[in-house]
Amino acid sequence: MKRFLILIFLIVVLGSIVGGYLALAQGVPAVSELKKYRSLEGTKVYADDNTLIGEFKIDKGIYVPYSKFPPHLINAVVAVEDSRFWSHKGIDYIGIARALIVDIMHASLKQGGSTITQQLAKIMFLSPEKTIARKIKEAHLAIKLEKELTKQEILELYLNKVYFGHGAYGVEMAARLYFGKSISLVTLPEAALLAGLIKAPNSFSPFNNLVRAKERQDVVFQRMESEGYITPKQRTEYKKQPIHLSSLRTETEAYNYFLEYVRQQIEQKYGEEMVYKKGLNVYTTLDRRAQVAAQKALREGLRDVDKRKGWRGAIAHKQIKDGEQDAEQKTSFSASAGDISTGTVLSVTANEAIVKTRGIIGKLALQDALWAGNILDTKTGKVKTIAKLKLTDILKKGDVIHVKVKSISGKNVSFSLEQEPEVEGAVVAIEPETGYIKALIGGFSFSKSEFNRALLAKRQPGSAFKPLVYAVALQKGYTPESIVIDEPVTYRWGSEEWKPENYDRKHYGPTTLREALAHSRNIVTVKLVDSIGVDGITAFSKNAGIESNMPRDLSIALGSMSLTPLELTSAFSAFANSGKRFKPISIKYITDSKGAVLEENLPDGYELMSPVIASQITSMLRDVITYGTGMRANIGRAAAGKTGTTSDYKDAWFVGYTPQLIAGVWIGYDDMRKSLGSTEVGGRAAAPVWANFMKNALADLPSVDFESPLVSNLSH
């Protein structure tokens, strides 16, 4: 009887185990379709030089066949992830036993023990949680995968799907991101670094910590040596080679605002099915160099404005291990002056701090942190100024801060103190003679905020709107030398009255229109509007491309409407193009997967004003830069433009142009209640960003002057 009961118990237990396995196995999907798997084409987007700048796809990454993988990449991945890959049938029982021992010792599921095949099963079909049920399904799927796919097919799928950090899915995207090349061209050390990322992409990313990335790379070298893929001598040589990272990551980030603008347009017109599954090719107007220059200029300008607001303190604090501040730089690294990242203060004195960032240890001198002598109380908004600043006044050991690499000389690295800006901005650049959008940046960082301020942020332009007023005045018979009296004036509407004031609260008597525009005199502009009428200005503005609602009163003179940076920049284009305005275009043409043209957008221009008036406005706006409010926009070549500042200093603008390019810059807070401060006018906050961008965007173009019409009334 006792033996019978034991037998019954064993049958029940075995039946439960088998039944549980079968129940879980029933939830496992079929894998037969994987043999035919190919990533859906999606939509490819190209810049104006036909360089691929982005893709809109359901499947992430760039799919490449097994034949494109160099042998040393396969060896590196197999060595570090699954050394018995070529011999097991989906499950490495030795690895599982080892992992179970570790899990039992830690009383938790610490170790994966997963083969490459199991990892593929999880990536393709399963959720990432570590549970017994998921492990059973993973094992069952791995066995099925090994039965239905070859080892090469498994590796092909795996290396096209696995995540490598910073948004890179698959080895092709990873190779382009980290090294700026296709996976077929990576060297063995580069392949080892990529293989090392699979275990923990963020922890071992060379963008985050160069030292840790090198240490992980050496682990891969060790495994490759153990498996016979490289010799001890080769390992020593490879270990000495520095990591040379690509700047592609920065460039790729720069395209995102423009790409999102394009995606929204084509998705609205063609639908999601066409965009994500039919292999469209979109050829855009974007100038890659201008786009990168715009992002760089805006980021630098926003940091400068933010610094003037004051130091907000360290972003975090952590404990420093004993002896860490005495660590030497023992690894080769690739870093460039201008790189910005978070770092930890290892030690600090009155005049110098030792900082570690991304594995690099360097020095932060007091002179490179003097701006932080103005300390901002984030709760009250008040600023406390320290007259004789010491670094110990603002930093302490263990503080986590932002630093920029100032210089590198051998292993001697110097930093400057930075902080991430709270202030935001936008840049738009257009080619006047076509309307082609050459650059469009909608904020400090797309990953930080996808809100595209270049297209969606409707803000008051202030005095940046005045050139449109003056253009209408010239059409009505005024000239640049016409005189208007700058004097106190009051306007009444029933019981209400309005007394416009100049920025400096002064009055200048008889003033030419040229002088009034150069110095942005408000009263002269208001009197002009009163003379020529509001309706003419609103009609002209609408023809200039401004679609936002316009006020029906004299406040229009001071830019009281709300416009987007794209609207205002586009409205200026006729000034740079002899009076002819072209509608802004971001997409030149689109083809289907077979090359047939689905749409083509040719430049669409019309005369907004006569060449004479356009030339007169340009002449007046050149004075803005020569001696007026926009002197910080002087770029050493013929240029014209206008500053803009709202009365409460919430918005700072500069819109300007050369014969080849027009650009608009807006600076402000997303919170429309916050002021930039009384010193952050358009000429100080926005004009330097414009100048920085234009110098770089036009660097390879000749300096040319504006054309003057044969008949004009210019008195300069």
Side-chain angles (χ1 to χ4, degrees), residues 242-532:
I243 297 172
H244 295 289
L245 299 176
S246 169
S247 61
L248 183 63
R249 180 188 175 205
T250 301
E251 292 184 16
T252 302
E253 289 178 352
Y255 304 144
N256 286 337
Y257 281 111
F258 182 81
L259 286 171
E260 180 61 13
Y261 177 40
V262 169
R263 185 193 66 78
Q264 290 174 0
Q265 292 180 77
I266 63 174
E267 194 173 302
Q268 183 178 11
K269 184 170 184 177
Y270 295 99
E272 294 183 0
E273 181 79 9
M274 282 282 285
V275 171
Y276 295 104
K277 297 182 180 180
K278 300 301 182 181
L280 300 182
N281 296 289
V282 180
Y283 297 87
T284 74
T285 61
L286 187 79
D287 182 315
R288 291 187 299 133
R289 175 172 180 165
Q291 182 76 355
V292 173
Q295 183 188 61
K296 182 175 182 291
L298 181 62
R299 286 185 171 182
E300 290 178 358
L302 294 179
R303 289 184 186 279
D304 289 342
V305 172
D306 197 73
K307 286 178 186 177
R308 294 195 290 266
K309 297 290 289 182
W311 167 246
R312 296 191 299 274
I315 56 178
H317 187 83
K318 65 181 184 180
Q319 295 298 315
I320 302 298
K321 297 177 183 178
D322 292 339
E324 188 171 352
Q325 61 265 43
D326 299 320
E328 295 181 9
Q329 189 69 40
K330 296 180 180 179
T331 182
S332 300
F333 60 86
S334 174
S336 303
D339 289 353
I340 297 176
S341 59
T342 57
T344 303
V345 177
L346 302 181
S347 64
V348 60
T349 64
N351 296 309
E352 184 179 88
I354 304 300
V355 179
K356 182 178 181 180
T357 175
R358 289 167 52 181
I360 304 169
I361 296 176
K363 296 178 180 180
L364 169 64
L366 173 63
Q367 65 184 19
D368 295 315
L370 290 176
W371 65 268
N374 293 321
I375 299 176
L376 176 65
D377 187 323
T378 55
K379 293 182 179 179
T380 65
K382 295 182 179 179
V383 176
K384 174 186 175 183
T385 300
I386 300 177
K388 295 183 178 180
L389 180 69
K390 300 187 291 292
L391 282 178
T392 48
D393 293 327
I394 57 172
L395 299 176
K396 58 181 179 293
K397 180 180 176 180
D399 278 350
V400 179
I401 58 176
H402 285 100
V403 291
K404 177 166 66 176
V405 177
K406 184 181 178 185
S407 65
I408 300 174
S409 179
K411 293 183 178 179
N412 297 317
V413 182
S414 65
F415 298 122
S416 60
L417 183 64
E418 296 288 336
Q419 73 180 4
E420 289 292 277
E422 293 181 343
V423 65
E424 276 290 357
V427 178
V428 178
I430 299 172
E431 188 175 67
E433 62 183 4
T434 60
Y436 289 166
I437 296 174
K438 292 299 180 181
L440 188 146
I441 300 291
F444 178 78
S445 167
F446 187 81
S447 59
K448 178 181 174 183
S449 169
E450 295 184 12
F451 180 66
N452 197 331
R453 295 155 189 85
L455 307 171
L456 303 174
K458 291 196 170 189
R459 307 298 288 255
Q460 291 187 0
S463 295
F465 181 77
K466 287 177 180 176
L468 279 74
V469 174
Y470 283 72
V472 176
L474 296 182
Q475 288 180 329
K476 297 287 187 179
Y478 283 86
T479 74
E481 307 312 318
S482 295
I483 293 177
V484 176
I485 307 300
D486 185 354
E487 60 186 351
V489 63
T490 301
Y491 296 95
R492 291 183 173 83
W493 298 275
S495 59
E496 296 182 10
E497 68 175 27
W498 178 45
K499 296 181 179 181
E501 291 283 355
N502 290 324
Y503 169 75
D504 58 7
R505 308 290 181 182
K506 297 179 180 178
H507 304 95
Y508 295 87
T511 305
T512 64
L513 298 197
R514 178 183 298 282
E515 189 178 6
L517 189 57
H519 294 292
S520 204
R521 302 276 163 74
N522 290 339
I523 292 176
V524 171
T525 310
V526 172
K527 293 178 79 172
L528 269 183
V529 173
D530 190 32
S531 169
I532 62 182

Side-chain angles (χ1 to χ4, degrees), residues 19-40:
Y21 176 80
L22 292 174
L24 287 170
Q26 286 179 354
V28 172
V31 298
S32 57
E33 289 299 312
L34 285 181
K35 270 186 173 290
K36 298 180 287 185
Y37 177 84
R38 286 295 180 271
S39 179
L40 293 172

Side-chain angles (χ1 to χ4, degrees), residues 593-615:
S593 59
K594 297 179 180 179
V597 177
L598 300 180
E599 75 170 69
E600 185 175 14
N601 299 304
L602 299 174
D604 183 8
Y606 54 91
E607 187 173 282
L608 179 66
M609 69 193 83
S610 71
V612 171
I613 290 176
S615 183

Side-chain angles (χ1 to χ4, degrees), residues 133-195:
R134 202 270 289 161
K135 281 287 185 180
I136 292 173
K137 285 187 177 183
E138 180 185 286
H140 182 77
L141 256 177
I143 294 171
K144 291 180 70 176
L145 284 168
E146 290 276 352
K147 287 181 179 179
E148 299 192 35
L149 302 176
T150 67
K151 290 288 186 179
Q152 288 78 11
E153 288 171 334
I154 289 171
L155 274 174
E156 179 177 312
L157 285 167
Y158 175 71
L159 289 175
N160 276 292
K161 284 291 186 179
V162 73
Y163 184 58
F164 288 89
H166 302 290
Y169 289 84
V171 288
E172 179 67 17
M173 184 179 282
R176 295 186 187 190
L177 174 74
Y178 290 105
F179 307 119
K181 62 177 74 171
S182 177
I183 189 61
S184 61
L185 301 176
V186 297
T187 64
L188 189 147
E190 290 169 343
L193 185 139
L194 293 178

